[in-house]
Amino acid sequence: CGREECQKILDQAPQGTFMLRLSSVIKGGIVLSYCEPSFSKKDKHFKHTILIRRGQNAYELRSGSKSKSKNSSSTKHTTISSVVRSFVKIKFLYTPNNLYPKKSVF
């Protein structure tokens, strides 16, 4: 699904729910999307973190900042599993049929 549909789904889901989806902009990119609470109970902040595939089980983590590093030697590669496990704010993986605790999947 796209960003807008993703945000609609996450808006209705329990706090801590996240989605993994293919990037529509970056070839080989996977987007980890989740919702953060704000100080106002009405507002929610949606976050979309891009993981760019650089090899087998190797992804470059790119946050929402627009700056691009030209020095690839300082770029760290990670796995999707390690990103999900280390992310404290996300707890449940969304699928169209069910929510799964991240500990049971990753």
Side-chain angles (χ1 to χ4, degrees), residues 3 15 61 71 84-85 103:
R3 180 182 278 225
Q15 188 64 41
L61 187 64
N71 184 3
V84 170
R85 284 192 306 259
K103 290 181 181 180

Side-chain angles (χ1 to χ4, degrees), residues 67-86:
S67 64
K68 294 182 181 177
S69 173
K70 295 190 189 239
N71 184 3
S72 61
S73 63
S74 65
T75 303
K76 293 183 180 179
H77 292 161
T78 186
T79 64
I80 294 173
S81 295
S82 63
V83 171
V84 170
R85 284 192 306 259
S86 66

Side-chain angles (χ1 to χ4, degrees), residues 85-101:
R85 284 192 306 259
S86 66
F87 225 108
V88 177
K89 295 178 183 180
I90 59 175
K91 304 201 182 310
F92 306 103
L93 173 64
Y94 171 85
T95 68
N97 297 324
N98 207 351
L99 293 178
Y100 294 97

